[in-house]
Amino acid sequence: MESITERHIQNGYVQILIMAVVASCTIILGLFAMGIGSSEQLDQLSTLKIILGISEPDSLQSDIIWHLRFPRILMAITCGVALATAGALMQGCLGNPLVSPLTLGVASGASLGAALAIVLGLQVIDFLEPFLSNLPGPLSNLDFESIGIVANAFFFSLIVVVIIIQLGKMRSISPESYILVGIAITFICGAIVSTIQYFASDAEISQLTHWSFGSLSRPDLGQTMWIAALIICLMPYAIIFAWDLNSMALGGDDFAISTGVDPQATRVTILVLSAGMTSIVIAFTGLIGFVGLAAPHMTRLIIGNDYRKLLPCSAVSGAFLVLIADTIGRTIVAPIIIPVGVMLSVIGGPFFMYLLLANKGVSH
Amino acid sequence: MNSILEAKNLSFSWGNKQVFSGVGFDIQPNQIVAIVGVNGAGKSTLLKCLNRILVPSTGSISINSEEVSTMPILELAKQVSYVPQSVSTSFPLDVYDVVMLGRRPYISWRISDEDREFVSNTISLFDLEDFAFRRFDQLSGGERQRVIIAKAVAQNPSLFLFDEPTSDLDLKNQIIVMKSIRKLVDNKDNNCSALIAIHDLNTAARFADSILMLHEGEMKAFGSPEIVFTEENISEVFGVTSDLISSNDGAPMRIHVLDIPNDESAGN
């Protein structure tokens, strides 16, 4: 009989293999999605040839592939990675399976920022413009009109991050307090947004509603590259906390301290990190909620709760989930594109419930 | 020989409410010390102060002659491991990985072969091989308690702190767990000791070398079971009359709890 040491090592290999399979599926799906769209000149084969550099694209084809489809697909992957990782981080450090990246009120802050920009024309970027335009480098060339809503959404979600940091300075604040404060922030922002909507014109309400659907097509290629680069840089920082999260998620604060983890300090760092990742993405995409709750849980069902594997696997499965939802969303009633936030809940919801219930059937 | 633990003049309060004060004692290597007292006497609080889960208001604690309050938390985790009364979780790991958490203070990221060997041996020691790859939440209370103790052992500390380790267990599991703690502490290769908060005086008398009795925020008595468990002490601290059978022929002393004196609850 194999020893338990060998079996533990083997289990690790199996989990890495599962992760590799999901990652490969995501890449294949990404390539496939590059070939899907309403343009008649680009079928799967010719798109693949262009991507692989076998055939030379004309300028229209090149535009469609590199300025429409590629940013969208990259954004889908980045968004899935960021939100799923943030969800897994938050669930672990608050020890609560109901938590998602939107629980702490980051999204509500972003909504408030968007509403202020769209309806009242109050834009943070207007105040920053005189400073930014004097700076050298890419910041001075920003198109301030186009990023007004994004900057507002980001700024107001950062206010929520600051509140989290301030909470963390209070002694003996419990994980539940973070969640309750998050719910309070959600209500407050929701009330202000409703008030603003009450005075808004039909066109403004329509724009605001559209913002809240969540869409991957808003950021352009340059912005998408920046977002992706930022998220990639933050990922290793998230994974460093895997051991601490294992300890905190398993036994709570007292247990974590006994294994050499400072739960208060770790929790604040993790919450700020995950709220930051969430803000970066949803400022550009609008509200995409479900993946942050569902992707970590789906991954837990397949690979278990060990954060050393859970974090990278959640990231990969989040990317897969958003990509498949978006691909279906833009093909199912083409040429109309159904927003990815809606598609995620419509497809992901029943699948998530099926996985949860099927798993319960096995374990009991 | 140097003490494993020296605690001097400890006090702790929640806001204005003083839980205990003036508590001082030391623990020698290969000893079990049991803390007894009524509910709310501060048994768990005292344990948590020793592990810096709570910070005492006054006093000093040193472990192997090192001051606890200034020790880095990772270093402290190599010296002391704390076993809570029970662990319930929304995110269970496999048993093997729970025990591996005991190696957390020694691991930066990658698990070394030595760590794995240590964990596998600890799992065998506690007879948990059959459960090694079962999920923690699918085990019974007694099995979970053994897993958490195994995790504490994997930490390889000098001092174990147990918070009522037998309170959720049936009779057989109580003995299994207490015997495994005794065996652990008696192992002369390790020179470790244990401090156990416990309600059952007979279990304390049977397994502990010394008893620390807490009463109304103070240390009522500290010493061997025969010295601490007198009819007067038990009556004063627990409010019950008792009959003591002293130890002989290797059998531990027994405490027969009789009744509540001047029983008001009887209504006559």
Side-chain angles (χ1 to χ4, degrees), chain B residues 229-242:
Chain B
F229 290 145
T230 60
E231 285 176 22
E232 296 76 47
N233 278 347
I234 291 172
S235 160
E236 191 181 341
V237 172
F238 296 98
V240 293
T241 55
S242 58

Side-chain angles (χ1 to χ4, degrees), chain A residues 289-337:
Chain A
F290 191 67
V291 65
L293 176 75
H297 280 302
M298 290 178 181
T299 314
R300 286 176 201 281
L301 293 175
I302 296 164
I303 216 157
N305 290 314
D306 182 351
Y307 268 87
R308 291 177 308 126
K309 287 130 192 170
L310 179 67
L311 284 173
C313 284
S314 295
V316 172
S317 59
F320 183 76
L321 215 59
V322 176
L323 190 56
I324 201 161
D326 184 53
T327 308
I328 296 174
R330 67 197 177 90
T331 48
I332 194 163
V333 284
I336 296 167
I337 294 174

Side-chain angles (χ1 to χ4, degrees), chain A residues 5 8 244 249-250 258 305, chain B residues 48 89 92 97 104 109 120 155:
Chain A
T5 311
H8 188 246
D244 298 2
L250 183 83
S258 82
N305 290 314
Chain B
K48 289 181 182 179
T89 175
D97 291 317
R104 163 69 181 69
W109 169 256
S120 299
Q155 240 165 295

Side-chain angles (χ1 to χ4, degrees), chain A residues 250 255, chain B residues 82-84 86-87 98-99 128 136 143-153:
Chain A
L250 183 83
F255 185 85
Chain B
Y82 166 78
V83 179
S86 65
V87 170
V98 174
V99 180
L128 291 164
F136 182 69
E143 289 158 357
R144 279 192 214 187
Q145 196 64 14
R146 266 154 63 202
V147 173
I148 294 298
I149 295 174
K151 172 251 146 203
V153 171

Side-chain angles (χ1 to χ4, degrees), chain A residues 3-5 7-9 11 91-92 95-97 239-244 246-247 249-251 253-255 257-263 297 300 304-309 359 363, chain B residues 48 51-53 73-74 77 80 82 84 87-94 96-98 100-101 104-105 107-109 111 116-117 120 123-124 129 132-133 135-136 138 148 151 155:
Chain A
S3 74
I4 50 175
T5 311
R7 186 151 165 219
H8 188 246
I9 295 171
N11 285 357
Q91 286 165 5
N96 190 323
I239 293 173
I240 291 174
F241 288 105
W243 278 106
D244 298 2
N246 276 346
S247 208
L250 183 83
D253 284 9
D254 292 357
F255 185 85
I257 292 173
S258 82
T259 56
V261 179
D262 179 349
H297 280 302
R300 286 176 201 281
N305 290 314
D306 182 351
Y307 268 87
R308 291 177 308 126
K309 287 130 192 170
N359 193 265
S363 63
Chain B
K48 289 181 182 179
N51 193 23
R52 240 166 66 194
I53 290 172
I73 190 163
L74 271 180
V80 188
Y82 166 78
V87 170
S88 63
T89 175
S90 306
F91 303 117
L93 297 169
D94 282 354
Y96 197 102
D97 291 317
V98 174
M100 187 60 89
L101 283 177
R104 163 69 181 69
I107 294 173
S108 55
W109 169 256
I111 299 169
R116 245 192 211 100
E117 211 51 50
S120 299
I123 286 176
S124 312
E129 287 110 322
F133 297 97
R135 263 174 37 185
F136 182 69
Q138 292 169 354
I148 294 298
K151 172 251 146 203
Q155 240 165 295

